[in-house]
Amino acid sequence: MNLLDFSNSIEGYLLVSSILLTLGIFSVLTRKNAIGILLGVELILNAAGINFVAFSKFHSAAIDGQMVTLFIILIAAAEAAVALAIILRFYRLKQTIDADEASLLRN
Amino acid sequence: MLVSLKAFAPELTLVGFLSLLFLLDGFVPKLRENRFPLIWVIVSCFAAGVATAVGKGLSGDFFSGLVTETGLVAFFRYFFFFACGVTAYVTLGSKEIEERGRSEFSLLILCMTFGMSLMVLANHFLMLYIGIETVSIISFVLAGFNRESSRSNEASFKYLVYGAVSSGLMIYGISLVYGYTGALSYPAIAEALIKNNGTHPFVFYLALVMIYAGFAYKISSFPFHFWTPDVYEGSPTPVATFFSVGPKAAGFGALLHFVLTALSQKQEGGVFTPIAGIQLAPVMALISAATMVVGNLSAIAQTNVKRMLAFSSIAHVGYVLMGFVVMTPAAFSSIIFYLIAYCAMNLGAFWIVGIVTDEKKGSELSDFKGMGWRTPVMGVCMAIFLFSLTGIPLFSGFIGKFLIFGNLIQSQSYLWLALLGVLNSVVSLYYYTKILRAMWLEKPESSDSAELRLPLSQLVGLLGLALPTVILGLFFSPVLEMAQRWITQ
């Protein structure tokens, strides 16, 4: 038996998704580049998507989990479109996409 | 299916008007230039409100259990349509939204109102997620509506980062709950939870915390409130006006429905008890306490009025969350009453900040100097709104707080929370009076001491918000009874 053969159990999927979630949160917290933050968010959303598909395959008779994944992909695309527009405007105004430059509004 | 469409009539009305505006905007460019789009918003909100009134009485699950109709949903619909209409009315007189942007602005707030309706209708996690994202994505655009301003852009950027992360956490939490219970609709989740007899794995609690992240961001409760002051300060004032009332109430509506149907069981006499193994009250009490303390203490040090009101709105979220600690029908109707009172007084206060911002090109405390003497009506209205926000007797805010604290004391538990709430109200008096002192007790700068005449439409609107604030403080029982009926329906 191969220890790394996860193809027929849910653990492998959950492991990948939790790693993706951790990486996503980590890059949101540490990245200074606005696009990097955006990529972190995409990782979090995809982690959730993997979870839904995995649970839908192993734990539930219905396909509603897979439906949710489709919606997550759709919403992530919409969000990315708006986010890129905002970051583009940020660049126009400040000539940089360093998130630390967003410091006009503070106590 | 047809019945489902009937239940969805108010939203369909809204979408119909929205699409028409979209077409008119594209094909008749002339209409874009004047007040037409904003008046269109007011008309469509009114029409959607009429559709709600006509469709009253329908209740149950629709669209295969995706959405559910209750008395509460009807209340929140009226609330959103009113807030959206008032925002459009406020924008009519505002200089912050440029004339050629008005039709886009109108489309966006209509669409956001639609999303808020979806949030409170949701009886299924997918619907909830779609509702929240509809509201969020449009909020990002609205916060950055003033395209040439770095502050507005920064507001939308911060809103985007917080919003995207918290809704990402939320959907991850939802996926864990789905894995645990195998269901996505609230009643099915409750059923699965009851079957497990109070022994839930640790992951389930982690998932609940993650789901709360999504709600907390929408209602700006601790610990996801950090975006609020920055976003309110940076975005145009009419947008902040809408943000401080609309999406927050939507978050409360969605949270209320989620807690009641997915995490609680209804007992005899309409009291809800959490499903075995879920301790809601202590967690909610801690969150509520932290939210109001953080909001009020941070507000003290602010010199920008918009920012101060943003922190004050966080504090008010703390008061409303107290209602979630006691899960009785009386507590829920006091939440409803508080939201009604909060809607009028907060819309009014932000509106006046908007008027001052238009006049002085800023919303610092020093910009408010002598404003009371320059336009007495506005000064008196602001005094009414701020006293009501503080919770001074004779105003609606007092009754709202009295009901919420009273329910907490009646339940004989969490007396410290009620006490903390009262102490917080005293603290809030300090910073609210700072605004009033600037308006009434300080002299305006000599360069602009002339009387500032407000257009009639603004005066009528301000009085229209100030009167209910006073009247609800004196004759509150009809509204309270209405709230009780909404809860029990």
Side-chain angles (χ1 to χ4, degrees):
Chain A
M1 194 187 87
N2 190 346
L3 264 181
L4 290 174
D5 182 18
F6 284 124
S7 58
N8 233 344
S9 70
I10 195 167
E11 282 82 8
Y13 295 95
L14 294 186
L15 190 67
V16 171
S17 89
S18 50
I19 291 173
L20 275 184
L21 176 76
T22 320
L23 286 177
I25 294 176
F26 184 74
S27 66
V28 167
L29 292 178
T30 57
R31 288 280 168 154
K32 283 188 176 169
N33 189 311
I35 303 283
I37 295 174
L38 200 62
L39 285 176
V41 171
E42 297 292 320
L43 286 184
I44 296 176
L45 289 175
N46 286 332
I50 290 177
N51 259 0
F52 272 114
V53 173
F55 284 133
S56 176
K57 185 177 176 212
F58 288 100
H59 275 225
S60 164
I63 57 158
D64 43 0
Q66 301 181 23
M67 288 294 302
V68 176
T69 308
L70 284 179
F71 275 97
I72 293 177
I73 295 170
L74 188 95
I75 287 172
E79 205 165 49
V82 170
L84 286 175
I86 290 170
I87 294 174
L88 201 64
R89 181 49 49 185
F90 191 85
Y91 180 74
R92 290 261 171 82
L93 291 167
K94 302 215 160 114
Q95 308 301 320
T96 170
I97 51 168
D98 186 346
D100 286 353
E101 291 297 311
S103 56
L104 283 173
L105 306 164
R106 55 169 49 173
N107 281 346
Chain B
M1 193 64 194
L2 260 180
V3 182
S4 293
L5 284 179
K6 216 168 156 187
F8 215 50
E11 284 71 35
L12 288 178
T13 315
L14 209 62
V15 172
F17 274 90
L18 203 161
S19 325
L20 263 177
L21 178 60
F22 197 69
L23 290 175
L24 285 173
D25 181 52
F27 291 112
V28 195
K30 228 203 242 165
L31 291 179
R32 217 176 295 162
E33 302 285 318
N34 52 26
R35 296 159 168 227
F36 170 76
L38 291 169
I39 293 172
W40 185 264
V41 171
I42 298 173
V43 171
S44 40
C45 283
F46 187 75
V50 170
T52 314
V54 169
K56 211 170 59 179
L58 276 176
S59 64
D61 295 346
F62 298 98
F63 290 115
S64 10
L66 277 176
V67 304
T68 184
E69 290 270 341
T70 56
L72 261 186
V73 169
F75 158 71
F76 276 107
R77 277 175 174 154
Y78 289 129
F79 189 98
F80 299 148
F81 301 149
F82 176 75
C84 180
V86 171
T87 309
Y89 193 82
V90 169
T91 316
L92 275 174
S94 167
K95 291 174 194 149
E96 282 181 80
I97 304 290
E98 51 184 10
E99 291 236 326
R100 63 192 168 84
R102 277 178 173 177
S103 62
E104 287 165 29
F105 180 83
S106 308
L107 283 170
L108 288 171
I109 57 170
L110 271 182
C111 202
M112 198 161 150
T113 310
F114 173 67
M116 296 190 305
S117 265
L118 287 190
M119 274 172 74
V120 291
L121 276 165
N123 194 34
H124 191 277
F125 270 136
L126 179 58
M127 203 66 204
L128 175 75
Y129 182 61
I130 292 173
I132 286 189
E133 284 292 351
T134 311
V135 175
S136 298
I137 294 177
I138 295 169
S139 320
F140 307 153
V141 181
L142 274 177
F145 202 80
N146 209 340
R147 271 174 295 187
E148 301 310 319
S149 148
S150 307
R151 304 171 82 82
S152 184
N153 178 254
E154 194 180 310
S156 75
F157 180 66
K158 285 182 173 166
Y159 207 2
L160 169 80
V161 173
Y162 280 107
V165 171
S166 58
S167 67
L169 284 181
M170 183 184 203
I171 194 73
Y172 195 85
I174 291 174
S175 78
L176 292 178
V177 170
Y178 174 63
Y180 175 49
T181 60
L184 281 166
S185 84
Y186 297 169
I189 289 172
E191 225 171 89
L193 289 179
I194 292 169
K195 239 183 248 164
N196 280 4
N197 251 340
T199 45
H200 307 298
F202 172 71
V203 178
F204 173 66
Y205 298 104
L206 191 69
L208 282 188
V209 171
M210 283 175 151
I211 291 174
Y212 186 73
F215 286 118
Y217 151 77
K218 269 264 115 8
I219 62 179
S220 68
S221 109
F222 183 83
F224 282 84
H225 62 279
F226 296 103
W227 59 273
T228 317
D230 290 353
V231 170
Y232 287 11
E233 189 190 344
S235 36
T237 317
V239 175
T241 310
F242 195 39
F243 282 177
S244 72
V245 173
K248 253 181 208 189
F252 276 120
L255 181 63
L256 199 58
H257 189 64
F258 170 67
V259 168
L260 291 190
T261 43
L263 301 182
S264 320
Q265 281 170 291
K266 200 170 184 178
Q267 307 287 352
E268 299 272 318
V271 183
F272 289 86
T273 49
I275 289 169
I278 303 171
Q279 294 288 331
L280 272 179
V283 180
M284 277 309 194
L286 283 180
I287 293 174
S288 151
T291 308
M292 60 192 175
V293 170
V294 165
N296 274 323
L297 291 187
S298 318
I300 292 177
Q302 302 307 320
T303 54
N304 185 312
V305 175
K306 233 161 133 186
R307 213 177 161 80
M308 190 188 286
L309 285 181
F311 278 114
S312 108
S313 81
I314 296 176
H316 283 275
V317 168
Y319 302 134
V320 177
L321 281 176
M322 274 187 200
F324 284 83
V325 176
V326 204
M327 305 239 292
T328 57
F332 295 136
S333 52
S334 67
I335 292 182
I336 299 297
F337 186 90
Y338 200 92
L339 285 177
I340 296 172
Y342 175 77
C343 176
M345 59 199 184
N346 213 51
L347 283 175
F350 267 97
W351 191 351
I352 290 175
V353 174
I355 293 171
V356 174
T357 311
D358 278 344
E359 169 71 14
K360 306 280 289 186
K361 305 282 167 270
S363 54
E364 293 293 320
L365 263 179
S366 55
D367 293 322
F368 280 73
K369 272 186 195 163
M371 273 296 167
W373 295 108
R374 291 182 63 192
T375 40
V377 179
M378 186 175 89
V380 171
C381 285
M382 190 64 163
I384 292 175
F385 296 137
L386 292 181
F387 283 141
S388 179
L389 281 169
T390 319
I392 285 177
L394 297 184
F395 299 103
S396 61
F398 169 73
I399 304 293
K401 273 187 188 151
F402 180 79
L403 290 171
I404 284 191
F405 296 166
N407 277 308
L408 208 57
I409 291 167
Q410 230 173 25
S411 76
Q412 300 283 328
S413 50
Y414 300 102
L415 288 177
W416 60 270
L417 189 61
L419 193 69
L420 193 67
V422 175
L423 286 178
N424 265 291
S425 303
V426 177
V427 172
S428 71
L429 181 64
Y430 171 71
Y431 59 82
Y432 287 133
T433 39
K434 275 212 293 200
I435 305 175
L436 288 179
R437 195 183 65 196
M439 285 182 96
W440 286 104
L441 297 182
E442 285 175 36
K443 291 252 164 0
E445 282 142 29
S446 52
S447 57
D448 50 22
S449 53
E451 193 188 350
L452 174 66
R453 284 191 170 275
L454 293 183
L456 187 68
S457 60
Q458 277 181 344
L459 287 181
V460 171
L462 280 178
L463 289 177
L465 289 173
L467 277 182
T469 307
V470 177
I471 293 172
L472 275 182
L474 300 170
F475 307 101
F476 56 92
S477 50
V479 177
L480 192 62
E481 274 162 26
M482 216 150 56
Q484 274 153 358
R485 242 180 299 136
W486 274 320
I487 293 286
T488 46
Q489 251 172 23

